Amino acid sequence: MTNYQPARGKPRVALVTCTELTDLDPDDRLVLAPLAALGIATEPVVWDDPDVDWSAYDLVVLRSPWDYALRRDEFVAWAASVSALVNPADVVRWNTDKRYLAELSAAGVPTVPTSWVEPGESWQPPAETGEYVLKPAVSAGSQDTGRYDLADPEHRDLAVAHVRRLSDAGRVTMVQPYLRAVDTEGETALLFLAGPDGLAFSHAIRKGPMLTGPDLGPDGLYKEEEISARTARPEQLAVAEKTLAAVPGGTRRLLYARVDLIPGPDGEPVLVELELTEPSLFIGYADGAPDRLAAAIATHLARRT
């Protein structure tokens, strides 16, 4: 836990969500009791509610504002208006456009090979066969994401239609090879939470394969995930540390980070995504994780007093 003591009365913390999850995601609700035990008052608050006075909160914690993807400019502007926000607004701006992967790759982080299709650019699937993933550069919850087998003529046509649909909406498309290891090994998410000396590793989980075929349009706020606890391996932790070391502005000011990895063709872990804005933290899958998240929030409150 933590030796945090409120300096003046009971501090107020907003846990930021969206209209579809006004009572928070069930996993996030697990932190409420540990925060109450620390004397910290919390409440879920919808990020685009015009009646909210954000200055009334001692800390504003981004949790599940998962409807922002089609309104990113509005969301980024809102984040910039909230001084007590964690993770902070410049991180939100950088991390909500997955073109940050190109920066991390340039910094030497092993990442999934990715090409980008800008709105208005023509695109045809690669001539070679194989499976590819298409998704927008701004998205949450695996929305608008599909898996295409380019040996299948119908899939090739659907892939072109997917890119065109995103392009017509003014969105950048990511094109990545599908890493087959996800079908067996799954994806590993490594969770880091703030401590007195900066981010510290908390726990890891396994996500099972989610993409079964082409994207055929909207299917909800997020895609359901198959989650289980996992023990992180040294090589995974090494890639995560290298990824976090490349974050602009450093990581000491971050409340949390999630590093998502998949084994590449050679079996070594490569970065799929670095989640610094609104990641599921899966605190229900590790003993003590709700307490560690509460302690991380208390650490950031103490820094603001």
Side-chain angles (χ1 to χ4, degrees):
M1 289 290 288
T2 178
N3 60 2
Y4 170 75
Q5 295 292 327
R8 46 174 182 77
K10 183 176 286 191
R12 296 180 68 198
V13 172
L15 300 179
V16 179
T17 184
C18 59
T19 55
E20 291 89 343
L21 293 167
T22 54
D23 292 327
L24 299 174
D25 181 74
D27 191 68
D28 286 330
R29 288 200 289 269
L30 297 176
V31 78
L32 299 180
L35 285 170
L38 293 176
I40 298 170
T42 59
E43 57 188 283
V45 188
V46 174
W47 73 272
D48 58 352
D49 183 342
D51 296 325
V52 175
D53 177 9
W54 296 102
S55 67
Y57 296 98
D58 298 281
L59 198 66
V60 178
V61 178
L62 285 165
R63 289 309 317 121
S64 50
W66 294 332
D67 61 354
Y68 77 85
L70 296 180
R71 297 184 289 156
R72 176 178 176 264
D73 289 347
E74 180 184 347
F75 181 68
V76 167
W78 165 81
S81 74
V82 181
S83 61
L85 189 69
V86 285
N87 287 331
D90 65 299
V91 172
V92 170
R93 177 181 292 277
W94 181 74
N95 188 240
T96 50
D97 186 328
K98 293 180 178 62
R99 283 177 286 188
Y100 67 76
L101 287 170
E103 296 181 37
L104 294 178
S105 178
V109 175
T111 61
V112 179
T114 306
S115 58
W116 313 87
V117 184
E118 297 288 335
E121 288 184 348
S122 61
W123 179 82
Q124 289 296 320
E128 64 270 19
T129 58
E131 291 189 289
Y132 282 78
V133 173
L134 303 180
K135 57 186 173 181
V138 178
S139 66
S142 297
Q143 295 173 317
D144 302 304
T145 300
R147 170 182 172 181
Y148 299 88
D149 181 356
L150 298 187
D152 182 333
E154 181 181 5
H155 274 222
R156 296 181 74 88
D157 291 342
L158 288 172
V160 171
H162 188 167
V163 174
R164 185 183 303 117
R165 183 168 65 250
L166 294 177
S167 180
D168 289 347
R171 305 174 76 183
V172 175
T173 302
M174 304 169 60
V175 182
Q176 299 175 320
Y178 184 77
L179 299 181
R180 296 304 299 266
V182 75
D183 292 333
T184 52
E185 171 80 4
E187 185 175 321
T188 301
L190 285 75
L191 287 305
F192 293 78
L193 299 173
D197 300 318
L199 286 181
F201 175 69
S202 170
H203 60 285
I205 60 94
R206 175 190 185 274
K207 292 196 286 184
M210 295 173 57
L211 300 179
T212 58
D215 174 65
L216 300 177
D219 56 1
L221 187 62
Y222 56 88
K223 293 184 178 179
E224 295 294 335
E225 299 174 318
E226 175 193 323
I227 306 298
S228 57
R230 166 164 276 178
T231 299
R233 298 194 297 269
E235 62 269 26
Q236 293 171 326
L237 289 167
V239 171
E241 295 289 355
K242 188 170 189 176
T243 301
L244 294 173
V247 173
T251 59
R252 181 172 173 77
R253 61 210 183 107
L254 301 182
L255 174 65
Y256 51 66
R258 196 183 87 199
V259 182
D260 295 344
L261 305 173
I262 294 178
D266 62 357
E268 293 300 310
V270 296
L271 180 70
V272 182
E273 290 188 18
L274 170 61
E275 297 273 11
L276 303 179
T277 302
E278 32 64 30
S280 294
L281 297 175
F282 305 113
I283 57 175
Y285 292 86
D287 291 341
D291 291 336
R292 289 193 290 275
L293 178 56
I297 290 172
T299 294
H300 274 263
L301 277 168
R303 290 175 185 171
R304 296 188 62 84
T305 59

